[in-house]
Amino acid sequence: MRDIKKIRDEFDRVDKTLVALLEKRFTLSREIGLVKREAGMLTEDQSRELEVIRNVIANLEDDSLDVHVLSVFETIINESKNVQKEEDN
């Protein structure tokens, strides 16, 4: 049986990586939001959102977690759209 402290330490390492990746994703969201505004494009792009979801599903190694991972990605996509809509970057 694994030690709970070791498992929590591993959680902490994963969380640190997730934070860095989310920060990078939201920075890119700001950038694409600016590009879209300059081009007169809408923030919403349902075909791109579906493509992201398909990519997420394709990258899953454990299909039993699909509902949970998709739920998290719905939030990430929504927050990315919110960041894109911010005018003062």
Side-chain angles (χ1 to χ4, degrees):
M1 176 182 266
R2 290 180 61 188
D3 180 283
I4 193 165
K5 169 86 169 88
K6 289 180 181 179
I7 296 170
R8 286 181 175 162
D9 288 345
E10 193 169 344
F11 266 126
D12 291 343
R13 286 190 297 277
V14 169
D15 288 346
K16 183 176 180 179
T17 301
L18 284 172
V19 168
L21 291 171
L22 286 169
E23 188 172 28
K24 176 66 176 174
R25 192 180 207 290
F26 292 141
T27 298
L28 291 169
S29 294
R30 280 185 178 157
E31 186 177 344
I32 202 163
L34 178 61
V35 169
K36 285 179 177 181
R37 279 192 298 282
E38 289 174 350
M41 297 171 64
L42 297 173
T43 301
E44 304 282 332
D45 185 345
Q46 289 183 341
S47 65
R48 174 61 183 151
E49 290 178 35
L50 289 173
E51 181 181 352
V52 170
I53 295 299
R54 281 193 297 271
N55 289 339
V56 168
I57 292 168
N59 287 311
L60 273 172
E61 292 181 20
D62 183 347
D63 291 341
S64 71
L65 298 174
D66 64 346
V67 172
H68 308 291
V69 173
L70 288 173
S71 176
V72 169
F73 263 88
E74 286 176 13
T75 300
I76 290 171
I77 289 168
N78 286 331
E79 289 306 314
S80 293
K81 290 188 289 189
N82 288 337
V83 170
Q84 285 182 43
K85 293 175 186 175
E86 293 175 356
E87 301 264 346
D88 297 320
N89 299 324

